[in-house]
Amino acid sequence: MGCIKALDLERHYFCKGSDMAQTIIITGAGSGVGASTARTFLAAGWNVGLIGRRIEPLQEVAAGQTNALVLPCDVTDEASVDAAFDKAAVTFGHLDALFNNAGIGVPASPIDEMDVDAWRQCVDINLTGSFLCARAAWRIMRSQSPQGGRIINNGSVSASAPRPGSAPYTATKHAITGLTKTLSLDGRAFNINVGQIDIGNALTEMAKPMTVGVPQANGAIEPEATMDVDHVGNAVMHMAGLPLGTNVLFMTVMANDMPFVGRG
């Protein structure tokens, strides 16, 4: 099977051979869901590109493993994203999957008390960052041989049902659903499968307040059930490991007793 030119800037060529390890890029890989998922894929023998703003947490996740590639990157910056994805493509030779996971929240408040800059930052990271990373992955997947790959977007259960005072975060996650559906349709021509995982109450540092008490729709402050974050990595692994042509368009993985069903 012949190889095709992938990156005009670098003037490298790459193709996927049958003996090559599968490759994934994970954004937001320095902490939380991203770090846990990265460790799951590394343990399974995948080549993993680790994207995040700070190099130290990425290096901690990589732990010196030869199948890990640390890629410090600002997902809101087009040039930074393109450079990171190009480096991964040149290093690993091909790209099988992207887990579009990087995201932030905004402290809950009524909309008239929300800081506009916080809104813009949330949109830049959660939505524009996902767009830029999907765009960079798409470019590689479309030009590699064999053509194709898989993009998995982190939607969150907030893509379906909001929490109180969460307009910026919820708006971006609803938009991720639109991005997922559109790219899933457009990807058919290039053997690129696109799906979304909606995660509910995975126990990370960000989710620890849920174990103490968070605002509910009725105004009460109550603790919520959580689940081991490792279950997310296993779910993403299932989605990523399917043969191209078979796609999980939407998956929800959540703490069973959390207030999601019946919340929205």
PDB file of all heavy atoms in Angstrom, residues 191-227:
ATOM      1  N   ASN A 191     -14.437   8.275   5.509  1.00  0.00           N
ATOM      2  CA  ASN A 191     -14.282   7.169   6.455  1.00  0.00           C
ATOM      3  C   ASN A 191     -13.878   7.663   7.842  1.00  0.00           C
ATOM      4  O   ASN A 191     -13.134   7.004   8.565  1.00  0.00           O
ATOM      5  CB  ASN A 191     -13.263   6.141   5.948  1.00  0.00           C
ATOM      6  CG  ASN A 191     -13.489   4.756   6.539  1.00  0.00           C
ATOM      7  OD1 ASN A 191     -14.605   4.399   6.910  1.00  0.00           O
ATOM      8  ND2 ASN A 191     -12.434   3.978   6.635  1.00  0.00           N
ATOM      9  N   ILE A 192     -14.363   8.851   8.202  1.00  0.00           N
ATOM     10  CA  ILE A 192     -14.128   9.419   9.529  1.00  0.00           C
ATOM     11  C   ILE A 192     -15.412   9.287  10.335  1.00  0.00           C
ATOM     12  O   ILE A 192     -16.446   9.847   9.966  1.00  0.00           O
ATOM     13  CB  ILE A 192     -13.688  10.895   9.435  1.00  0.00           C
ATOM     14  CG1 ILE A 192     -12.373  11.016   8.667  1.00  0.00           C
ATOM     15  CG2 ILE A 192     -13.543  11.497  10.836  1.00  0.00           C
ATOM     16  CD1 ILE A 192     -11.958  12.451   8.368  1.00  0.00           C
ATOM     17  N   ASN A 193     -15.344   8.506  11.409  1.00  0.00           N
ATOM     18  CA  ASN A 193     -16.494   8.296  12.289  1.00  0.00           C
ATOM     19  C   ASN A 193     -16.433   9.299  13.439  1.00  0.00           C
ATOM     20  O   ASN A 193     -15.364   9.502  14.028  1.00  0.00           O
ATOM     21  CB  ASN A 193     -16.483   6.882  12.861  1.00  0.00           C
ATOM     22  CG  ASN A 193     -16.732   5.793  11.819  1.00  0.00           C
ATOM     23  OD1 ASN A 193     -16.891   4.642  12.167  1.00  0.00           O
ATOM     24  ND2 ASN A 193     -16.742   6.141  10.548  1.00  0.00           N
ATOM     25  N   VAL A 194     -17.548   9.911  13.778  1.00  0.00           N
ATOM     26  CA  VAL A 194     -17.581  10.906  14.851  1.00  0.00           C
ATOM     27  C   VAL A 194     -18.701  10.561  15.816  1.00  0.00           C
ATOM     28  O   VAL A 194     -19.843  10.305  15.409  1.00  0.00           O
ATOM     29  CB  VAL A 194     -17.787  12.331  14.290  1.00  0.00           C
ATOM     30  CG1 VAL A 194     -17.749  13.360  15.420  1.00  0.00           C
ATOM     31  CG2 VAL A 194     -16.719  12.656  13.244  1.00  0.00           C
ATOM     32  N   GLY A 195     -18.365  10.528  17.100  1.00  0.00           N
ATOM     33  CA  GLY A 195     -19.341  10.232  18.141  1.00  0.00           C
ATOM     34  C   GLY A 195     -19.127  11.123  19.351  1.00  0.00           C
ATOM     35  O   GLY A 195     -18.200  11.939  19.393  1.00  0.00           O
ATOM     36  N   GLN A 196     -19.989  10.955  20.328  1.00  0.00           N
ATOM     37  CA  GLN A 196     -19.965  11.812  21.522  1.00  0.00           C
ATOM     38  C   GLN A 196     -20.200  10.967  22.760  1.00  0.00           C
ATOM     39  O   GLN A 196     -21.079  10.103  22.782  1.00  0.00           O
ATOM     40  CB  GLN A 196     -21.062  12.868  21.397  1.00  0.00           C
ATOM     41  CG  GLN A 196     -21.177  13.827  22.582  1.00  0.00           C
ATOM     42  CD  GLN A 196     -22.127  14.964  22.267  1.00  0.00           C
ATOM     43  OE1 GLN A 196     -22.052  15.578  21.205  1.00  0.00           O
ATOM     44  NE2 GLN A 196     -23.035  15.267  23.188  1.00  0.00           N
ATOM     45  N   ILE A 197     -19.410  11.231  23.798  1.00  0.00           N
ATOM     46  CA  ILE A 197     -19.623  10.587  25.088  1.00  0.00           C
ATOM     47  C   ILE A 197     -20.079  11.637  26.086  1.00  0.00           C
ATOM     48  O   ILE A 197     -19.435  12.677  26.257  1.00  0.00           O
ATOM     49  CB  ILE A 197     -18.365   9.837  25.577  1.00  0.00           C
ATOM     50  CG1 ILE A 197     -18.671   9.079  26.875  1.00  0.00           C
ATOM     51  CG2 ILE A 197     -17.155  10.761  25.719  1.00  0.00           C
ATOM     52  CD1 ILE A 197     -17.613   8.037  27.232  1.00  0.00           C
ATOM     53  N   ASP A 198     -21.214  11.389  26.704  1.00  0.00           N
ATOM     54  CA  ASP A 198     -21.775  12.296  27.700  1.00  0.00           C
ATOM     55  C   ASP A 198     -21.548  11.693  29.080  1.00  0.00           C
ATOM     56  O   ASP A 198     -22.051  10.608  29.385  1.00  0.00           O
ATOM     57  CB  ASP A 198     -23.266  12.521  27.436  1.00  0.00           C
ATOM     58  CG  ASP A 198     -23.516  13.261  26.132  1.00  0.00           C
ATOM     59  OD1 ASP A 198     -22.613  13.988  25.692  1.00  0.00           O
ATOM     60  OD2 ASP A 198     -24.604  13.107  25.555  1.00  0.00           O
ATOM     61  N   ILE A 199     -20.763  12.402  29.877  1.00  0.00           N
ATOM     62  CA  ILE A 199     -20.255  11.878  31.149  1.00  0.00           C
ATOM     63  C   ILE A 199     -20.986  12.543  32.306  1.00  0.00           C
ATOM     64  O   ILE A 199     -21.157  13.763  32.322  1.00  0.00           O
ATOM     65  CB  ILE A 199     -18.742  12.135  31.263  1.00  0.00           C
ATOM     66  CG1 ILE A 199     -18.011  11.497  30.069  1.00  0.00           C
ATOM     67  CG2 ILE A 199     -18.188  11.598  32.576  1.00  0.00           C
ATOM     68  CD1 ILE A 199     -16.614  12.040  29.853  1.00  0.00           C
ATOM     69  N   GLY A 200     -21.401  11.745  33.265  1.00  0.00           N
ATOM     70  CA  GLY A 200     -22.103  12.279  34.424  1.00  0.00           C
ATOM     71  C   GLY A 200     -21.461  11.893  35.739  1.00  0.00           C
ATOM     72  O   GLY A 200     -21.426  10.713  36.114  1.00  0.00           O
ATOM     73  N   ASN A 201     -20.914  12.883  36.443  1.00  0.00           N
ATOM     74  CA  ASN A 201     -20.414  12.727  37.809  1.00  0.00           C
ATOM     75  C   ASN A 201     -19.284  11.719  37.951  1.00  0.00           C
ATOM     76  O   ASN A 201     -19.266  10.900  38.875  1.00  0.00           O
ATOM     77  CB  ASN A 201     -21.557  12.375  38.773  1.00  0.00           C
ATOM     78  CG  ASN A 201     -22.494  13.533  39.026  1.00  0.00           C
ATOM     79  OD1 ASN A 201     -22.509  14.520  38.297  1.00  0.00           O
ATOM     80  ND2 ASN A 201     -23.300  13.431  40.073  1.00  0.00           N
ATOM     81  N   ALA A 202     -18.328  11.759  37.013  1.00  0.00           N
ATOM     82  CA  ALA A 202     -17.094  11.003  37.202  1.00  0.00           C
ATOM     83  C   ALA A 202     -16.284  11.696  38.299  1.00  0.00           C
ATOM     84  O   ALA A 202     -16.114  12.914  38.284  1.00  0.00           O
ATOM     85  CB  ALA A 202     -16.301  10.952  35.910  1.00  0.00           C
ATOM     86  N   LEU A 203     -15.789  10.929  39.246  1.00  0.00           N
ATOM     87  CA  LEU A 203     -15.149  11.509  40.427  1.00  0.00           C
ATOM     88  C   LEU A 203     -13.727  11.947  40.114  1.00  0.00           C
ATOM     89  O   LEU A 203     -12.779  11.161  40.147  1.00  0.00           O
ATOM     90  CB  LEU A 203     -15.162  10.526  41.591  1.00  0.00           C
ATOM     91  CG  LEU A 203     -14.679  11.087  42.934  1.00  0.00           C
ATOM     92  CD1 LEU A 203     -15.431  12.354  43.316  1.00  0.00           C
ATOM     93  CD2 LEU A 203     -14.796  10.042  44.032  1.00  0.00           C
ATOM     94  N   THR A 204     -13.582  13.227  39.798  1.00  0.00           N
ATOM     95  CA  THR A 204     -12.298  13.887  39.605  1.00  0.00           C
ATOM     96  C   THR A 204     -12.194  15.007  40.634  1.00  0.00           C
ATOM     97  O   THR A 204     -13.124  15.241  41.417  1.00  0.00           O
ATOM     98  CB  THR A 204     -12.202  14.478  38.193  1.00  0.00           C
ATOM     99  OG1 THR A 204     -13.221  15.488  38.050  1.00  0.00           O
ATOM    100  CG2 THR A 204     -12.418  13.395  37.130  1.00  0.00           C
ATOM    101  N   GLU A 205     -11.071  15.716  40.627  1.00  0.00           N
ATOM    102  CA  GLU A 205     -10.938  16.855  41.539  1.00  0.00           C
ATOM    103  C   GLU A 205     -12.052  17.872  41.299  1.00  0.00           C
ATOM    104  O   GLU A 205     -12.600  18.447  42.251  1.00  0.00           O
ATOM    105  CB  GLU A 205      -9.570  17.522  41.334  1.00  0.00           C
ATOM    106  CG  GLU A 205      -8.408  16.764  41.938  1.00  0.00           C
ATOM    107  CD  GLU A 205      -8.487  16.671  43.453  1.00  0.00           C
ATOM    108  OE1 GLU A 205      -8.890  17.679  44.085  1.00  0.00           O
ATOM    109  OE2 GLU A 205      -8.161  15.618  44.003  1.00  0.00           O
ATOM    110  N   MET A 206     -12.407  18.077  40.038  1.00  0.00           N
ATOM    111  CA  MET A 206     -13.456  19.035  39.708  1.00  0.00           C
ATOM    112  C   MET A 206     -14.813  18.600  40.258  1.00  0.00           C
ATOM    113  O   MET A 206     -15.665  19.435  40.594  1.00  0.00           O
ATOM    114  CB  MET A 206     -13.545  19.211  38.197  1.00  0.00           C
ATOM    115  CG  MET A 206     -14.527  20.276  37.737  1.00  0.00           C
ATOM    116  SD  MET A 206     -14.631  20.412  35.928  1.00  0.00           S
ATOM    117  CE  MET A 206     -12.951  20.971  35.574  1.00  0.00           C
ATOM    118  N   ALA A 207     -15.029  17.282  40.368  1.00  0.00           N
ATOM    119  CA  ALA A 207     -16.332  16.768  40.791  1.00  0.00           C
ATOM    120  C   ALA A 207     -16.434  16.531  42.293  1.00  0.00           C
ATOM    121  O   ALA A 207     -17.527  16.193  42.779  1.00  0.00           O
ATOM    122  CB  ALA A 207     -16.628  15.467  40.054  1.00  0.00           C
ATOM    123  N   LYS A 208     -15.357  16.706  43.043  1.00  0.00           N
ATOM    124  CA  LYS A 208     -15.406  16.417  44.479  1.00  0.00           C
ATOM    125  C   LYS A 208     -16.483  17.192  45.235  1.00  0.00           C
ATOM    126  O   LYS A 208     -17.077  16.658  46.179  1.00  0.00           O
ATOM    127  CB  LYS A 208     -14.032  16.654  45.108  1.00  0.00           C
ATOM    128  CG  LYS A 208     -13.072  15.492  44.906  1.00  0.00           C
ATOM    129  CD  LYS A 208     -11.776  15.677  45.668  1.00  0.00           C
ATOM    130  CE  LYS A 208     -10.886  14.457  45.520  1.00  0.00           C
ATOM    131  NZ  LYS A 208      -9.595  14.614  46.239  1.00  0.00           N
ATOM    132  N   PRO A 209     -16.780  18.466  44.864  1.00  0.00           N
ATOM    133  CA  PRO A 209     -17.862  19.159  45.569  1.00  0.00           C
ATOM    134  C   PRO A 209     -19.197  18.433  45.508  1.00  0.00           C
ATOM    135  O   PRO A 209     -20.053  18.621  46.386  1.00  0.00           O
ATOM    136  CB  PRO A 209     -17.933  20.512  44.850  1.00  0.00           C
ATOM    137  CG  PRO A 209     -16.550  20.729  44.329  1.00  0.00           C
ATOM    138  CD  PRO A 209     -16.070  19.368  43.932  1.00  0.00           C
ATOM    139  N   MET A 210     -19.398  17.598  44.484  1.00  0.00           N
ATOM    140  CA  MET A 210     -20.656  16.860  44.377  1.00  0.00           C
ATOM    141  C   MET A 210     -20.860  15.903  45.537  1.00  0.00           C
ATOM    142  O   MET A 210     -21.992  15.594  45.897  1.00  0.00           O
ATOM    143  CB  MET A 210     -20.709  16.093  43.056  1.00  0.00           C
ATOM    144  CG  MET A 210     -20.746  16.977  41.832  1.00  0.00           C
ATOM    145  SD  MET A 210     -20.714  16.007  40.313  1.00  0.00           S
ATOM    146  CE  MET A 210     -20.677  17.324  39.090  1.00  0.00           C
ATOM    147  N   THR A 211     -19.766  15.424  46.112  1.00  0.00           N
ATOM    148  CA  THR A 211     -19.881  14.483  47.224  1.00  0.00           C
ATOM    149  C   THR A 211     -20.286  15.187  48.513  1.00  0.00           C
ATOM    150  O   THR A 211     -20.704  14.527  49.475  1.00  0.00           O
ATOM    151  CB  THR A 211     -18.552  13.741  47.446  1.00  0.00           C
ATOM    152  OG1 THR A 211     -17.537  14.678  47.840  1.00  0.00           O
ATOM    153  CG2 THR A 211     -18.113  13.044  46.172  1.00  0.00           C
ATOM    154  N   VAL A 212     -20.159  16.512  48.549  1.00  0.00           N
ATOM    155  CA  VAL A 212     -20.510  17.304  49.739  1.00  0.00           C
ATOM    156  C   VAL A 212     -21.881  17.941  49.584  1.00  0.00           C
ATOM    157  O   VAL A 212     -22.736  17.875  50.470  1.00  0.00           O
ATOM    158  CB  VAL A 212     -19.447  18.387  50.001  1.00  0.00           C
ATOM    159  CG1 VAL A 212     -19.828  19.221  51.215  1.00  0.00           C
ATOM    160  CG2 VAL A 212     -18.074  17.748  50.186  1.00  0.00           C
ATOM    161  N   GLY A 213     -22.105  18.560  48.430  1.00  0.00           N
ATOM    162  CA  GLY A 213     -23.391  19.189  48.174  1.00  0.00           C
ATOM    163  C   GLY A 213     -23.298  20.242  47.098  1.00  0.00           C
ATOM    164  O   GLY A 213     -22.412  21.105  47.157  1.00  0.00           O
ATOM    165  N   VAL A 214     -24.169  20.158  46.095  1.00  0.00           N
ATOM    166  CA  VAL A 214     -24.214  21.128  44.997  1.00  0.00           C
ATOM    167  C   VAL A 214     -25.658  21.550  44.767  1.00  0.00           C
ATOM    168  O   VAL A 214     -26.598  20.832  45.135  1.00  0.00           O
ATOM    169  CB  VAL A 214     -23.617  20.532  43.698  1.00  0.00           C
ATOM    170  CG1 VAL A 214     -22.115  20.338  43.834  1.00  0.00           C
ATOM    171  CG2 VAL A 214     -24.296  19.222  43.339  1.00  0.00           C
ATOM    172  N   PRO A 215     -25.881  22.721  44.153  1.00  0.00           N
ATOM    173  CA  PRO A 215     -27.247  23.213  43.954  1.00  0.00           C
ATOM    174  C   PRO A 215     -28.084  22.289  43.076  1.00  0.00           C
ATOM    175  O   PRO A 215     -27.611  21.758  42.074  1.00  0.00           O
ATOM    176  CB  PRO A 215     -27.034  24.568  43.268  1.00  0.00           C
ATOM    177  CG  PRO A 215     -25.648  24.979  43.638  1.00  0.00           C
ATOM    178  CD  PRO A 215     -24.873  23.709  43.724  1.00  0.00           C
ATOM    179  N   GLN A 216     -29.332  22.120  43.488  1.00  0.00           N
ATOM    180  CA  GLN A 216     -30.297  21.332  42.731  1.00  0.00           C
ATOM    181  C   GLN A 216     -31.337  22.250  42.104  1.00  0.00           C
ATOM    182  O   GLN A 216     -31.430  23.433  42.432  1.00  0.00           O
ATOM    183  CB  GLN A 216     -30.971  20.305  43.647  1.00  0.00           C
ATOM    184  CG  GLN A 216     -30.007  19.388  44.377  1.00  0.00           C
ATOM    185  CD  GLN A 216     -29.188  18.520  43.436  1.00  0.00           C
ATOM    186  OE1 GLN A 216     -29.743  17.854  42.558  1.00  0.00           O
ATOM    187  NE2 GLN A 216     -27.864  18.524  43.612  1.00  0.00           N
ATOM    188  N   ALA A 217     -32.151  21.694  41.203  1.00  0.00           N
ATOM    189  CA  ALA A 217     -33.136  22.505  40.499  1.00  0.00           C
ATOM    190  C   ALA A 217     -34.168  23.122  41.432  1.00  0.00           C
ATOM    191  O   ALA A 217     -34.735  24.182  41.143  1.00  0.00           O
ATOM    192  CB  ALA A 217     -33.836  21.660  39.433  1.00  0.00           C
ATOM    193  N   ASN A 218     -34.417  22.479  42.580  1.00  0.00           N
ATOM    194  CA  ASN A 218     -35.401  23.003  43.533  1.00  0.00           C
ATOM    195  C   ASN A 218     -34.810  23.998  44.530  1.00  0.00           C
ATOM    196  O   ASN A 218     -35.481  24.432  45.463  1.00  0.00           O
ATOM    197  CB  ASN A 218     -36.072  21.860  44.290  1.00  0.00           C
ATOM    198  CG  ASN A 218     -35.094  21.067  45.152  1.00  0.00           C
ATOM    199  OD1 ASN A 218     -33.905  21.379  45.207  1.00  0.00           O
ATOM    200  ND2 ASN A 218     -35.596  20.029  45.819  1.00  0.00           N
ATOM    201  N   GLY A 219     -33.528  24.351  44.336  1.00  0.00           N
ATOM    202  CA  GLY A 219     -32.874  25.313  45.211  1.00  0.00           C
ATOM    203  C   GLY A 219     -32.130  24.702  46.377  1.00  0.00           C
ATOM    204  O   GLY A 219     -31.394  25.397  47.080  1.00  0.00           O
ATOM    205  N   ALA A 220     -32.305  23.418  46.591  1.00  0.00           N
ATOM    206  CA  ALA A 220     -31.621  22.743  47.694  1.00  0.00           C
ATOM    207  C   ALA A 220     -30.151  22.507  47.357  1.00  0.00           C
ATOM    208  O   ALA A 220     -29.754  22.512  46.187  1.00  0.00           O
ATOM    209  CB  ALA A 220     -32.308  21.417  48.007  1.00  0.00           C
ATOM    210  N   ILE A 221     -29.344  22.339  48.410  1.00  0.00           N
ATOM    211  CA  ILE A 221     -27.947  21.937  48.253  1.00  0.00           C
ATOM    212  C   ILE A 221     -27.848  20.498  48.739  1.00  0.00           C
ATOM    213  O   ILE A 221     -28.066  20.208  49.921  1.00  0.00           O
ATOM    214  CB  ILE A 221     -27.001  22.841  49.062  1.00  0.00           C
ATOM    215  CG1 ILE A 221     -27.195  24.309  48.679  1.00  0.00           C
ATOM    216  CG2 ILE A 221     -25.553  22.403  48.854  1.00  0.00           C
ATOM    217  CD1 ILE A 221     -26.797  24.646  47.263  1.00  0.00           C
ATOM    218  N   GLU A 222     -27.518  19.584  47.848  1.00  0.00           N
ATOM    219  CA  GLU A 222     -27.509  18.168  48.196  1.00  0.00           C
ATOM    220  C   GLU A 222     -26.313  17.464  47.565  1.00  0.00           C
ATOM    221  O   GLU A 222     -25.873  17.834  46.469  1.00  0.00           O
ATOM    222  CB  GLU A 222     -28.793  17.486  47.711  1.00  0.00           C
ATOM    223  CG  GLU A 222     -30.069  18.011  48.367  1.00  0.00           C
ATOM    224  CD  GLU A 222     -31.313  17.333  47.823  1.00  0.00           C
ATOM    225  OE1 GLU A 222     -31.166  16.451  46.948  1.00  0.00           O
ATOM    226  OE2 GLU A 222     -32.411  17.687  48.266  1.00  0.00           O
ATOM    227  N   PRO A 223     -25.777  16.442  48.243  1.00  0.00           N
ATOM    228  CA  PRO A 223     -24.716  15.632  47.627  1.00  0.00           C
ATOM    229  C   PRO A 223     -25.292  14.781  46.499  1.00  0.00           C
ATOM    230  O   PRO A 223     -26.495  14.504  46.467  1.00  0.00           O
ATOM    231  CB  PRO A 223     -24.215  14.765  48.782  1.00  0.00           C
ATOM    232  CG  PRO A 223     -25.377  14.685  49.720  1.00  0.00           C
ATOM    233  CD  PRO A 223     -26.115  15.989  49.596  1.00  0.00           C
ATOM    234  N   GLU A 224     -24.420  14.385  45.581  1.00  0.00           N
ATOM    235  CA  GLU A 224     -24.830  13.546  44.468  1.00  0.00           C
ATOM    236  C   GLU A 224     -23.928  12.322  44.370  1.00  0.00           C
ATOM    237  O   GLU A 224     -22.768  12.357  44.763  1.00  0.00           O
ATOM    238  CB  GLU A 224     -24.773  14.325  43.150  1.00  0.00           C
ATOM    239  CG  GLU A 224     -25.744  15.480  43.073  1.00  0.00           C
ATOM    240  CD  GLU A 224     -25.743  16.140  41.702  1.00  0.00           C
ATOM    241  OE1 GLU A 224     -25.063  15.622  40.790  1.00  0.00           O
ATOM    242  OE2 GLU A 224     -26.431  17.164  41.550  1.00  0.00           O
ATOM    243  N   ALA A 225     -24.483  11.264  43.816  1.00  0.00           N
ATOM    244  CA  ALA A 225     -23.710  10.052  43.572  1.00  0.00           C
ATOM    245  C   ALA A 225     -22.639  10.322  42.521  1.00  0.00           C
ATOM    246  O   ALA A 225     -22.828  11.124  41.600  1.00  0.00           O
ATOM    247  CB  ALA A 225     -24.639   8.934  43.105  1.00  0.00           C
ATOM    248  N   THR A 226     -21.496   9.674  42.665  1.00  0.00           N
ATOM    249  CA  THR A 226     -20.411   9.766  41.691  1.00  0.00           C
ATOM    250  C   THR A 226     -19.975   8.362  41.285  1.00  0.00           C
ATOM    251  O   THR A 226     -20.376   7.366  41.894  1.00  0.00           O
ATOM    252  CB  THR A 226     -19.205  10.532  42.266  1.00  0.00           C
ATOM    253  OG1 THR A 226     -18.734   9.852  43.442  1.00  0.00           O
ATOM    254  CG2 THR A 226     -19.584  11.963  42.620  1.00  0.00           C
ATOM    255  N   MET A 227     -19.150   8.300  40.247  1.00  0.00           N
ATOM    256  CA  MET A 227     -18.610   7.014  39.788  1.00  0.00           C
ATOM    257  C   MET A 227     -17.102   7.138  39.614  1.00  0.00           C
ATOM    258  O   MET A 227     -16.565   8.241  39.496  1.00  0.00           O
ATOM    259  CB  MET A 227     -19.256   6.596  38.461  1.00  0.00           C
ATOM    260  CG  MET A 227     -18.896   7.504  37.296  1.00  0.00           C
ATOM    261  SD  MET A 227     -19.504   6.887  35.715  1.00  0.00           S
ATOM    262  CE  MET A 227     -18.918   8.201  34.624  1.00  0.00           C
TER     263      MET A 227
END
